Amino acid sequence: MKQAEPPSLSALIQALCCLPGIGKKSAQRISYHLLQRDRDGANSLALALTDAMEKIGSCERCRNFSEAPVCGLCLSDKRDGSLLCIVESPADVFAMEAAGYNGKYFVLMGHLSPLDGIGPQELGLDKLAAYLAGAPDTGAGGDVREVILATNSTMEGEATAHYINEIVRKYQIRVTRIAHGVPLGGELEYIDSNTLSHALAGRSEVP
Amino acid sequence: MKQAEPPSLSALIQALCCLPGIGKKSAQRISYHLLQRDRDGANSLALALTDAMEKIGSCERCRNFSEAPVCGLCLSDKRDGSLLCIVESPADVFAMEAAGYNGKYFVLMGHLSPLDGIGPQELGLDKLAAYLAGAPDTGAGGDVREVILATNSTMEGEATAHYINEIVRKYQIRVTRIAHGVPLGGELEYIDSNTLSHALAGRSEVP
């Protein structure tokens, strides 16, 4: 069996297995595809990987991925600095942008998870406090008037939102949580009962 | 939207999209995972990619992937040189090895597909002819006594097998095709009718 496979091919298959959602079989298929049909693509992927790992760090203010010390979103003066949206990951920033949000962000890069050793320190909550207080080096200038908690609607996300709520209240800043309920286009009979009871509790007056 | 993503991250997502089975969304998820949790893995993947693309070529005899001019399987003297199994891809070599086959291989690296410009030349059938004739530089020494056609059981695979059959016959060498029928553990009611009629036509005497 081993004889049939050059060592550098085994190494490539092994390395591909480290990608999330890629198992042994897919890794093999991908390797064969690259070797047979797309060697240029493989070389540019290698370059892109090295390049991204080298250049991309965290924004000093919002902790989002950034090549510069402070990211474009934080520096932009076209965005509403009085709104601060707190999300778990950079992917959530994307989702919020697509939804039309135009304020600033703070990216936790995870959620509270004591069992995995992820506490307030790891989520940069001290940095968040400094941001809200308007410490000179955060560039926030203390003009945040509303903090929007947009952590995921999971157990951990809710716990994290609750914890951050306690911090923000100290600064007499308004705290809101994004609404949970029936998704647009969702049919009641297919919605889980927890979501539905949430939607019921959060009902609003018909204008 | 663009503002939210550093250019090297966009480039990485773009490059990951060239992998088969990976779309925009998976590419994004993989990039985020690597940046947040597995930068070492990403760097070793980059190395493995470059390394494999640089080192791996084709075996001069069997056309399988190989780092050396002639691959380990072709050079091995523990394998039966009188059997030559013809398969479409290196993945098929793996499957045959797992099934306990112990002869030599010839890997077509594809199948006849005139519409895609893949003809006998692209499949190295001239090399196969030289191999069967026992040309000195092929190292085969003309001792092949049976050619086993193990191309896929698809339209293209069957056409390719048919074409190769015509070539091999010229050398008065026995040609066989792997059996098609009901897979072990397969239940008749769930087998498609083509396979079943094949299995019926290919029935053998109970000893």
Side-chain angles (χ1 to χ4, degrees):
Chain A
M1 203 62 176
K2 274 288 142 231
Q3 228 175 2
E5 203 174 65
S8 53
L9 178 55
S10 314
L12 175 57
I13 294 177
Q14 195 62 45
L16 280 167
C17 283
C18 83
L19 301 180
I22 308 245
K24 184 86 204 275
K25 204 80 188 176
S26 307
Q28 207 184 41
R29 198 166 50 90
I30 291 174
S31 310
Y32 288 159
H33 168 87
L34 291 175
L35 282 166
Q36 275 185 271
R37 278 177 249 272
D38 200 5
R39 286 181 179 238
D40 289 347
N43 285 321
S44 14
L45 174 56
L47 273 180
L49 277 165
T50 319
D51 203 47
M53 296 308 135
E54 202 178 280
K55 287 190 186 159
I56 299 176
S58 289
C59 168
E60 284 172 6
R61 286 188 206 162
C62 73
R63 288 171 50 99
N64 197 357
F65 292 138
S66 170
E67 290 184 13
V70 177
C71 76
L73 286 176
C74 284
L75 286 178
S76 169
D77 52 7
K78 291 194 187 123
R79 304 187 72 95
D80 186 351
S82 69
L83 287 176
L84 185 70
C85 179
I86 299 187
V87 293
E88 290 187 24
S89 79
D92 300 339
V93 171
F94 249 76
M96 290 297 296
E97 287 293 288
Y101 174 73
N102 195 36
K104 305 274 178 167
Y105 291 98
F106 189 85
V107 185
L108 300 170
M109 291 287 180
H111 46 235
L112 286 179
S113 180
L115 288 180
D116 302 318
I118 301 176
Q121 185 66 41
E122 283 69 28
L123 300 183
L125 295 188
D126 45 343
K127 201 175 253 181
L128 175 64
Y131 192 120
L132 295 173
D137 64 321
T138 63
D143 55 358
V144 177
R145 278 200 298 272
E146 178 177 348
V147 168
I148 303 171
L149 299 173
T151 53
N152 290 334
S153 174
T154 56
M155 196 99 86
E156 296 88 351
E158 294 293 345
T160 309
H162 183 78
Y163 190 94
I164 294 174
N165 182 24
E166 300 294 311
I167 295 177
V168 182
R169 285 194 174 280
K170 289 182 203 146
Y171 298 92
Q172 276 87 45
I173 295 171
R174 186 177 171 213
V175 189
T176 55
R177 179 94 173 98
I178 51 170
H180 295 122
V182 180
L184 293 197
E187 297 180 49
L188 285 207
E189 61 171 318
Y190 299 118
I191 303 284
D192 67 295
S193 54
N194 278 334
T195 302
L196 201 51
S197 83
H198 228 101
L200 195 62
R203 67 190 180 277
S204 60
E205 209 73 50
V206 177
Chain B
M1 201 67 177
K2 274 289 140 231
Q3 227 177 3
E5 205 175 64
S8 53
L9 178 55
S10 313
L12 175 57
I13 294 178
Q14 194 62 44
L16 280 168
C17 283
C18 83
L19 301 180
I22 308 244
K24 183 90 204 272
K25 204 80 189 178
S26 307
Q28 206 184 42
R29 198 167 49 91
I30 291 174
S31 308
Y32 289 159
H33 169 86
L34 292 175
L35 281 166
Q36 272 186 274
R37 278 178 248 273
D38 198 6
R39 287 181 178 238
D40 288 346
N43 285 322
S44 16
L45 174 56
L47 272 181
L49 277 165
T50 318
D51 204 47
M53 296 307 136
E54 200 178 281
K55 287 191 187 159
I56 299 177
S58 289
C59 169
E60 284 171 8
R61 286 189 205 163
C62 73
R63 292 171 46 98
N64 197 356
F65 291 138
S66 170
E67 288 184 12
V70 178
C71 75
L73 287 176
C74 283
L75 286 177
S76 169
D77 52 6
K78 290 194 185 123
R79 304 186 73 94
D80 186 351
S82 69
L83 288 176
L84 184 70
C85 179
I86 300 187
V87 292
E88 290 186 24
S89 80
D92 300 338
V93 171
F94 248 76
M96 290 297 296
E97 287 292 287
Y101 173 74
N102 195 35
K104 303 275 178 168
Y105 291 98
F106 188 84
V107 185
L108 299 171
M109 292 286 180
H111 46 236
L112 287 179
S113 180
L115 288 180
D116 302 318
I118 301 177
Q121 186 65 42
E122 282 69 28
L123 300 183
L125 295 189
D126 46 343
K127 200 175 251 178
L128 174 64
Y131 193 119
L132 295 173
D137 63 321
T138 63
D143 55 356
V144 177
R145 279 201 296 275
E146 179 176 346
V147 168
I148 302 170
L149 299 173
T151 53
N152 290 334
S153 175
T154 55
M155 194 98 88
E156 295 88 351
E158 293 294 346
T160 310
H162 183 78
Y163 190 94
I164 295 174
N165 181 24
E166 299 293 312
I167 296 178
V168 182
R169 286 197 174 279
K170 289 184 203 147
Y171 298 93
Q172 277 88 45
I173 295 171
R174 185 178 173 214
V175 188
T176 55
R177 180 93 173 98
I178 51 168
H180 295 124
V182 180
L184 294 196
E187 296 179 52
L188 286 207
E189 62 171 316
Y190 299 116
I191 303 284
D192 68 296
S193 54
N194 278 333
T195 302
L196 201 51
S197 84
H198 228 102
L200 195 62
R203 66 191 181 276
S204 61
E205 210 71 52
V206 177

